[in-house]
Amino acid sequence: MPELQRTIKKHSLTIDGREKLTATGIKRVDFFSDELITAQTDLGQLNIKGEALHIETLNSETGDMLVSGKVAAVSYTESNPAMSFFGRLFK
């Protein structure tokens, strides 16, 4: 059987004057508030912290996202595949 290869979306991040953040390669947004936005990329979870954050545009087909507000910090968390109950038990 041929192996299925998953294509990785190209991911980029641009911050303009800490007031506008443009990200590409966004798979989905998991959480958003005016102080925190968490989004999934193929490279891990993207965490955006700040004040008065607002998602201006989010295109699920292209993976483009535009955020406005005062950006204070951006970080990534490695995303590991979710383990089953027995996988966690026998870890």
Side-chain angles (χ1 to χ4, degrees):
M1 278 173 62
E3 291 185 29
L4 296 176
Q5 292 184 348
R6 193 180 82 173
T7 58
I8 296 177
K9 282 187 177 180
K10 184 176 177 181
H11 173 64
S12 67
L13 190 66
T14 306
I15 301 173
D16 183 21
R18 291 182 61 186
E19 295 175 355
K20 296 276 184 191
L21 182 142
T22 305
T24 62
I26 302 296
K27 293 180 3 182
R28 71 177 186 269
V29 173
D30 292 330
F31 176 81
F32 62 93
S33 71
D34 60 341
E35 295 178 346
L36 175 67
I37 297 172
T38 60
Q40 290 295 324
T41 72
D42 283 333
L43 301 176
Q45 179 176 309
L46 172 64
N47 305 301
I48 305 164
K49 294 181 182 179
E51 298 173 9
L53 296 177
H54 179 72
I55 298 175
E56 296 287 330
T57 59
L58 176 62
N59 187 326
S60 60
E61 292 179 9
T62 62
D64 296 340
M65 179 173 71
L66 175 63
V67 176
S68 64
K70 184 177 180 184
V71 177
V74 177
S75 65
Y76 288 91
T77 306
E78 293 296 322
S79 59
N80 296 322
M83 295 179 73
S84 68
F85 171 76
F86 291 109
R88 291 189 308 265
L89 183 65
F90 294 111
K91 181 176 174 185

